[in-house]
Amino acid sequence: MLSILIWLPILGAAVISLLPRTIPAINIRLTALTVTGLVLLWNIFLLFKFDISLPGMQLQEYLPWNETLGLSYQLGVDGLSIVMLLLNSLLTWIAIYSSSQQTERPRLFYSLILLVSAGVAGAFAAQNLLLFFLFYELELIPFYLLISIWGGEKRTYAAMKFLIYTAVSGALILATFLGTVWLSGSTSFDYNTLSTQALSTTLQIILLVGIVLGFGIKIPLVPLHTWLPDAYVEASAPIAILLGGVLAKLGTYGVLRFGMALFPEAWSILAPSLATWGAISAIYGAVTAIAQKDIKRMVAYSSIGHMGYILLAAAASTSLALIGAIAQMFSHGIILAILFHLIGVVEAKVGTRELDKLNGLMSPIRGLPLTSALLILGGMASAGIPGMTGFIAEFIVFQGSFSVFPIPTLLCVVASGLTAVYFVILLNRTCFGKLDNDLAYYPKVLWSEKIPAFILAVLILFLGVQPSWLVRWSEPTSTAIVAAIPPIEKTVTTQVALDQ
Amino acid sequence: MDFANLASQLNAGTILPEGIVIVTLLGVLIVDLILGRTSSRWIGYLAIAGLLASVVALLFEWENINPISFGGAFNGDDLSIVFRALIALTAAVTILMSIRYIEQSGTALAEFIAILLTATLGGMFLSGASELVMIFISLECLSISSYLLTGYTKRDPRSNEAALKYLLIGASSTAVFLYGVSLLYGLSGGETELSAIASEIAISGFGQSLGLVIALVFVIAGIGFKISAAPFHQWTPDVYEGAPTPVIAFLSVGSKAAGFALAIRLLTTAFPLVADEWKFVFTALAVLSMILGNVVALAQTSMKRMLAYSSIGQAGFVMIGLVAGTQAGYASMVFYLLVYLFMNLCGFTCVILFSLRTGTDQIVEYSGLYHKDPLLTLGLSISLLSLGGIPPLAGFFGKIYLFWAGWQAGLYWLVLLGLVTTVVSIYYYIRVVRMMVVKETHEMSEVVKNYPEVSWNLPGYRPLQVGLIATLVATSIAGILSNPIFTLANNSIAHTSILQPTAVVTTQVSAMNNQ
């Protein structure tokens, strides 16, 4: 069942890379779309097969692989991963759809995207630590190539930076995985047989710090984030969608799955500092975004801010906050995707991303009215305006965390306000104002180019109005994860909160 | 002594694989003498057939219940079988590579193959040698053949210089090794067989003496030279740059495997009493090799020099398994050397192909190769990424196993250093991939712009293609389908009596009792 999500894209990648050279790019794109469309349909089918009342792993698959290493091909989903799997296949489809029809070297491009999609799906479904790591490292090289071949001006630098940061993150994660499994006396890397109860608290904290740092590079948390603006900005629109929408979620997923769920005791000890860290990250992302002159860079920094909320919610570790974290992961994914897609359209039509040069795109005749309207919607969703999915997720996060960490939560609320500030700046400078009469002869935006944005916009609005469809998948799972975590001592919390 | 007793003492069937290689070697020489250069069209295949036959003969010896032969001079246990097969396979692939390369350089193929087979013989005997004189002779057999091969393209001044340097460093390290060996002979009161030396030294109370430590260090200097561990690595970059490329392909895999086989056998059998000391020395060597090999490789502009430093770094990774000193540690060494065979030979095949078609091996000249020769690009990318440890290629599983074994043995810092240097190594491996894949058509280098039409029908290209595809397929799937190789590596260690912890303990205990 789950294997299809991994192997169908790989098969597709193999087929595409073997297609003869004479086939035009557009047909290759069509093939890739078909393959990912099938994967998406299959994923939706699995969503219906998924029993939302059960907290544990479902749809499990097991194949022995390598006993010497303790590596087995073990897959399974729970409420946390099923949502992420859907996000992955949805955004892969959107990314391929929003790629240009005249992409250069199409066979390489589409097979790499399919490989990335397979790797991410594998990582979300893997129930063996080593298998997870294998899939985690699998997206390293394809992404490096996707950024460095089809990117902007400084793509070589950006891609190399991405590669090294991700490789360091992988090394940290592998080290902690080896440490966890060996020290806990387990013989295999299977997730469900692993228990860290016997470890001393100091060891648990060391291992947890390794996990948080390793995945924190990927999320990214503030001092570890410097690869992100370069990589997001230099990547082409479809790649940026995948990078921000899907890959960043691997980081938060890893923190939740391998940090929070494996080390509950250490987690409750570290939680106050993690909450503060998340709040700092959120404020930093928002403030830096205000200062940017490039709209893509703005959205990239906004992504840093929004990922900070997830860390806050995870630190609070109430059942509500965790549901909010998962909802925030999904909604951040689709909101970032719509923003990057629209920015890609604007850049393709207008030819610039500079705030100082863009103007008056709302103009009904010679501007890009529909695109700008959708951009406004995306910006509002990102800033947390009610009625859209971003608000729901953030609100659940804040409500869930306030009782535990009042001050970091308030800081995050402030950051959320700052988000509105820079999105207003962005929308004001790009959509409103007057068109420059000498330069404004933009090509028409075709209907086919708008479809992904429409789909995402409908999804954003629907989940904003009907949020139970967003949260129902992960309720039992979050309750189960949270139940294992010892309550965070109030005295410690207020102490830390006051110290800030 | 009657004949039956003598025959059982000799147990000559153990060296049947080597016998096949010797017959092949003589066959190659004689055929060349009779037919001259016309024979060069098929003489390579004769040698490969001989080597493969020898591998098959090795298969039949697996789990030999009576491995000791020649009165203790040679040990045909499973450990030696794995290493002998590894060396023979390396030689077979090297011959596939060298047919065109040697022809193009205008030298005789048969002599080259004959020297290569001699080196193979030396390596195979070294893998099972368990007596001091035997070790020395096989080591020198390997070394002298390597010097000859290094300077084989004698019209090239760089090849000459490399051979001279290699000979000078090699001869002095052999002398140091020989001094260490003679000390061992003296300390043990006149024993030359490794296990006898160990028990004699234990009895005579030289267990922790200065003499034994000096002997140990001298022996390690000799081994370190063969496996090119820093700081005994200085010959590697110069030799790799000067020598013919197929030769360094053999040196980087076959010769290194022989060195590691010697290290395992000599250190575990003859020096069990100073195990902590040699583990400490090898920890230092591993740390130095990983850091130096991987950091200096960053700055190389020539492909062959880059691969030289990378091979120093890889030796550092393999030494983690040796330092661990557990069964899993040795098994991970064997496994890594096996996959290293595939990926390194695949990489060198691509380097040879590129330099045959363009005549250069500068890294910048690889720019834009993707557009002209996709197969070569794929082969070199896969092998370099596998060397860098990218999943799901063979090298990833090899590294994981090494690190896992190291972690189990408590070598936390060594494993962490291995992880960090792996990240460094990804940078310089990916640099080459970037040159080939990422560069656009207008960024192509001059030699790639004038790249000849890809054709495999020219004489000597077909074996290169076969070698490339075989090693490429192995590198790509040996990781995913690694269970048989893991079983092989684990069994080769588990079936080897000298590596059983109980065996060592009992000999030591009995030695103590005798005291």
Side-chain angles (χ1 to χ4, degrees):
Chain A
M1 302 290 268
L2 290 171
S3 287
I4 293 180
L5 294 182
I6 302 169
W7 291 101
L8 193 61
I10 290 182
L11 198 70
V15 168
I16 286 177
S17 57
L18 292 178
L19 287 176
R21 262 173 196 230
T22 46
I23 291 190
I26 189 154
N27 291 357
I28 294 175
R29 179 168 169 272
L30 209 63
T31 320
L33 267 184
T34 323
V35 173
T36 43
L38 286 175
V39 175
L40 180 60
L41 287 179
W42 184 253
N43 212 328
I44 292 170
F45 170 72
L46 286 184
L47 212 55
F48 284 107
K49 294 265 298 183
F50 184 80
D51 184 350
I52 54 172
S53 59
L54 296 177
M57 289 293 160
Q58 301 181 33
L59 308 171
Q60 295 212 17
E61 282 174 39
Y62 178 81
L63 270 178
W65 188 353
N66 194 320
E67 281 178 23
T68 320
L69 288 181
L71 169 66
S72 63
Y73 181 78
Q74 190 170 18
L75 305 179
V77 284
D78 61 2
L80 175 56
S81 35
I82 187 92
V83 183
M84 294 299 111
L85 282 172
L86 179 71
L87 182 70
N88 173 38
S89 44
L90 175 71
L91 290 194
T92 312
W93 189 83
I94 300 247
I96 291 182
Y97 196 100
S98 65
S99 65
S100 151
Q101 307 204 344
Q102 281 90 37
T103 311
E104 279 182 36
R105 299 205 227 166
R107 293 178 306 158
L108 189 61
F109 184 74
Y110 293 109
S111 28
L112 287 177
I113 290 193
L114 287 175
L115 269 186
V116 165
S117 168
V120 174
F124 283 137
Q127 293 303 317
N128 180 293
L129 265 57
L130 215 49
L131 186 67
F132 172 86
F133 179 74
L134 196 154
F135 283 122
Y136 185 81
E137 287 279 278
L138 191 60
E139 30 83 14
L140 185 65
I141 299 300
F143 253 113
Y144 169 80
L145 292 176
L146 285 170
I147 298 174
S148 64
I149 299 180
W150 297 273
E153 291 264 299
K154 279 168 60 192
R155 56 179 186 267
T156 315
Y157 169 75
M160 199 46 101
K161 210 166 167 183
F162 166 81
L163 180 84
I164 295 195
Y165 270 82
T166 314
V168 170
S169 145
L172 271 170
I173 292 167
L174 181 62
T176 33
F177 279 1
L178 292 179
T180 312
V181 171
W182 172 243
L183 295 172
S184 66
S186 175
T187 48
S188 82
F189 283 81
D190 284 346
Y191 183 78
N192 49 14
T193 58
L194 208 59
S195 155
T196 58
Q197 300 303 322
L199 294 185
S200 73
T201 319
T202 327
L203 263 181
Q204 282 202 36
I205 291 181
I206 293 174
L207 292 171
L208 180 61
V209 166
I211 296 256
V212 171
L213 286 182
F215 286 110
I217 294 176
K218 200 86 191 188
I219 292 178
L221 295 168
V222 152
L224 315 170
H225 70 285
T226 52
W227 63 272
L228 180 140
D230 292 307
Y232 281 23
V233 171
E234 294 306 322
S236 59
I239 306 310
I241 291 175
L242 284 179
L243 255 181
V246 183
L247 215 60
K249 306 303 171 296
L250 263 184
T252 44
Y253 172 83
V255 168
L256 294 179
R257 170 83 70 209
F258 303 108
M260 193 172 177
L262 275 186
F263 302 99
E265 285 166 33
W267 183 266
S268 73
I269 295 171
L270 285 188
S273 17
L274 291 179
T276 318
W277 194 0
I280 292 174
S281 221
I283 295 267
Y284 176 90
V287 171
T288 330
I290 293 178
Q292 300 306 317
K293 295 285 173 216
D294 176 324
I295 49 176
K296 207 168 181 184
R297 212 165 250 279
M298 259 184 169
V299 176
Y301 277 107
S302 91
S303 165
I304 297 179
H306 285 98
M307 300 306 273
Y309 304 156
I310 299 173
L311 191 68
L312 168 76
S317 49
T318 58
S319 165
L320 193 62
L322 195 55
I323 293 174
I326 299 169
Q328 171 73 358
M329 278 154 80
F330 188 83
S331 44
H332 174 253
I334 54 178
I335 293 172
L336 201 69
I338 193 174
L339 288 172
F340 274 140
H341 173 74
L342 292 170
I343 289 172
V345 172
V346 168
E347 192 187 2
K349 302 297 170 188
V350 182
T352 180
R353 291 193 313 251
E354 299 284 315
L355 270 186
D356 297 337
K357 293 184 184 149
L358 288 167
N359 224 342
L361 292 183
M362 271 301 258
S363 159
I365 302 157
R366 285 172 55 199
L368 313 169
L370 256 174
T371 312
S372 335
L374 288 167
L375 193 61
I376 292 172
L377 181 126
M380 280 160 59
S382 187
I385 303 291
M388 283 174 272
T389 171
F391 169 76
I392 301 296
E394 285 174 25
F395 187 74
I396 305 178
V397 166
F398 295 151
Q399 202 186 0
S401 344
F402 185 75
S403 56
V404 191
F405 299 116
I407 293 188
T409 311
L410 283 176
L411 283 177
C412 280
V413 174
V414 172
S416 173
L418 291 175
T419 311
V421 171
Y422 63 80
F423 269 112
V424 167
I425 296 177
L426 188 156
L427 299 173
N428 194 19
R429 298 274 196 91
T430 47
C431 303
F432 303 114
K434 257 183 152 171
L435 275 181
D436 185 343
N437 274 333
D438 299 331
L439 299 173
Y441 294 97
Y442 306 137
K444 274 263 172 291
V445 183
L446 303 174
W447 273 104
S448 62
E449 289 169 316
K450 284 181 228 159
I451 287 181
F454 274 118
I455 298 174
L456 290 170
V458 167
L459 208 57
I460 288 172
L461 287 171
F462 173 74
L463 291 177
V465 181
Q466 190 53 266
S468 74
W469 280 82
L470 181 60
V471 296
R472 61 195 291 221
W473 313 105
S474 46
E475 273 173 80
T477 309
S478 349
T479 319
I481 294 179
V482 166
I485 294 179
I488 295 155
E489 289 149 40
K490 280 284 175 185
T491 49
V492 180
T493 317
T494 41
Q495 192 65 45
V496 172
L498 288 176
D499 282 350
Q500 293 159 23
Chain B
M1 197 187 283
D2 59 301
F3 180 74
N5 197 3
L6 187 68
S8 74
Q9 278 270 311
L10 271 182
N11 194 7
T14 324
I15 59 159
L16 178 67
E18 284 79 2
I20 296 176
V21 175
I22 294 179
V23 172
T24 319
L25 172 97
L26 293 175
V28 166
L29 277 181
I30 292 167
V31 166
D32 184 55
L33 267 181
I34 296 171
L35 294 180
R37 289 219 75 162
T38 48
S39 67
S40 69
R41 210 176 298 159
W42 49 272
I43 206 160
Y45 304 105
L46 175 71
I48 291 170
L51 285 167
L52 292 182
S54 136
V55 173
V56 172
L58 281 170
L59 283 184
F60 284 107
E61 290 194 7
W62 186 254
E63 290 190 44
N64 190 349
I65 39 164
N66 180 19
I68 311 284
S69 56
F70 293 94
F74 190 81
N75 194 340
D77 53 11
D78 285 358
L79 182 74
S80 82
I81 290 179
V82 168
F83 276 104
R84 283 145 84 194
L86 220 153
I87 294 164
L89 276 179
T90 314
V93 182
T94 308
I95 292 174
L96 281 179
M97 293 180 196
S98 51
I99 293 176
R100 178 70 203 171
Y101 191 93
I102 297 298
E103 288 285 293
Q104 193 149 318
S105 71
T107 38
L109 182 64
E111 282 166 37
F112 179 84
I113 291 179
I115 306 175
L116 183 69
L117 288 178
T118 318
T120 313
L121 267 180
M124 287 170 81
F125 276 123
L126 189 59
S127 308
S130 55
E131 200 250 10
L132 294 179
V133 180
M134 178 74 185
I135 288 176
F136 183 73
I137 290 175
S138 40
L139 186 68
E140 275 301 271
C141 176
L142 174 60
S143 300
I144 293 175
S145 318
S146 306
Y147 310 145
L148 291 174
L149 288 172
T150 305
Y152 195 73
T153 47
K154 57 178 183 274
R155 290 199 190 84
D156 181 357
R158 285 189 309 169
S159 177
N160 280 315
E161 191 191 329
L164 184 61
K165 263 186 188 162
Y166 194 22
L167 170 68
L168 288 177
I169 300 178
S172 42
S173 85
T174 317
V176 173
F177 182 79
L178 187 60
Y179 191 34
V181 163
S182 55
L183 272 177
L184 268 186
Y185 176 72
L187 284 168
S188 64
E191 291 292 342
T192 56
E193 211 203 319
L194 296 183
S195 49
I197 290 174
S199 50
E200 278 298 321
I201 288 178
I203 294 167
S204 59
F206 285 119
Q208 294 286 337
S209 71
L210 185 64
L212 189 62
V213 174
I214 292 178
L216 172 71
V217 174
F218 281 4
V219 165
I220 288 181
I223 295 173
F225 163 77
K226 267 276 162 273
I227 59 177
S228 58
F232 310 107
H233 69 282
Q234 277 109 339
W235 60 275
T236 323
D238 295 332
V239 169
Y240 276 42
E241 197 178 20
T245 319
V247 173
I248 57 176
F250 179 77
L251 287 186
S252 72
V253 183
S255 172
K256 200 165 271 189
F260 275 112
L262 172 65
I264 296 181
R265 193 172 296 279
L266 190 58
L267 295 173
T268 54
T269 328
F271 294 101
L273 293 174
V274 283
D276 288 339
E277 281 79 0
W278 66 255
K279 277 180 186 164
F280 175 74
V281 175
F282 269 97
T283 310
L285 295 188
V287 168
L288 281 176
S289 305
M290 283 193 280
I291 293 180
L292 185 130
N294 286 309
V295 172
V296 179
L298 290 175
Q300 301 306 315
T301 53
S302 143
M303 195 68 194
K304 282 160 82 175
R305 270 189 100 85
M306 194 272 271
L307 284 172
Y309 280 105
S310 120
S311 89
I312 296 171
Q314 303 281 349
F317 293 133
V318 178
M319 274 185 269
I320 294 179
L322 187 64
V323 176
T326 54
Q327 293 224 13
Y330 297 126
S332 68
M333 280 175 79
V334 172
F335 182 80
Y336 198 80
L337 285 171
L338 277 168
V339 294
Y340 183 66
L341 185 158
F342 299 130
M343 52 201 189
N344 224 28
L345 291 183
C346 180
F348 273 117
T349 310
C350 295
V351 172
I352 288 175
L353 261 171
F354 186 76
S355 71
L356 279 178
R357 284 180 179 151
T358 63
T360 172
D361 56 31
Q362 293 297 308
I363 292 175
V364 280
E365 302 288 5
Y366 281 78
S367 297
L369 190 62
Y370 174 85
H371 304 276
K372 296 281 180 149
D373 195 342
L375 177 66
L376 189 54
T377 310
L378 181 74
L380 194 51
S381 305
I382 294 280
S383 60
L384 289 180
L385 293 177
S386 178
L387 283 168
I390 302 293
L393 305 171
F396 171 77
F397 288 84
K399 280 220 174 92
I400 291 275
Y401 194 21
L402 274 176
F403 293 156
W404 182 222
W407 199 279
Q408 284 176 321
L411 307 170
Y412 305 121
W413 293 109
L414 211 51
V415 172
L416 282 180
L417 183 70
L419 283 167
V420 171
T421 46
T422 303
V423 173
V424 176
S425 78
I426 289 177
Y427 179 84
Y428 61 79
Y429 290 128
I430 202 90
R431 205 160 54 111
V432 181
V433 177
R434 193 184 84 207
M435 284 294 167
M436 295 185 297
V437 180
V438 175
K439 297 283 181 185
E440 302 292 340
T441 330
H442 62 270
E443 293 168 310
M444 275 182 193
S445 66
E446 281 305 312
V447 294
V448 173
K449 270 182 196 151
N450 305 324
Y451 201 74
E453 194 69 24
V454 176
S455 158
W456 300 101
N457 291 324
L458 297 166
Y461 273 99
R462 197 58 78 179
L464 267 168
Q465 189 190 21
V466 171
L468 171 62
I469 291 178
T471 48
L472 175 62
V473 168
T475 311
S476 339
I477 66 167
I480 297 166
L481 306 175
S482 52
N483 258 338
I485 311 182
F486 267 106
T487 319
L488 180 78
N490 285 329
N491 282 350
S492 72
I493 300 301
H495 295 164
T496 303
S497 56
I498 54 163
L499 299 177
Q500 300 310 311
T502 48
V504 176
V505 172
T506 42
T507 45
Q508 278 176 2
V509 168
S510 63
M512 292 297 168
N513 287 346
N514 290 341
Q515 217 170 12

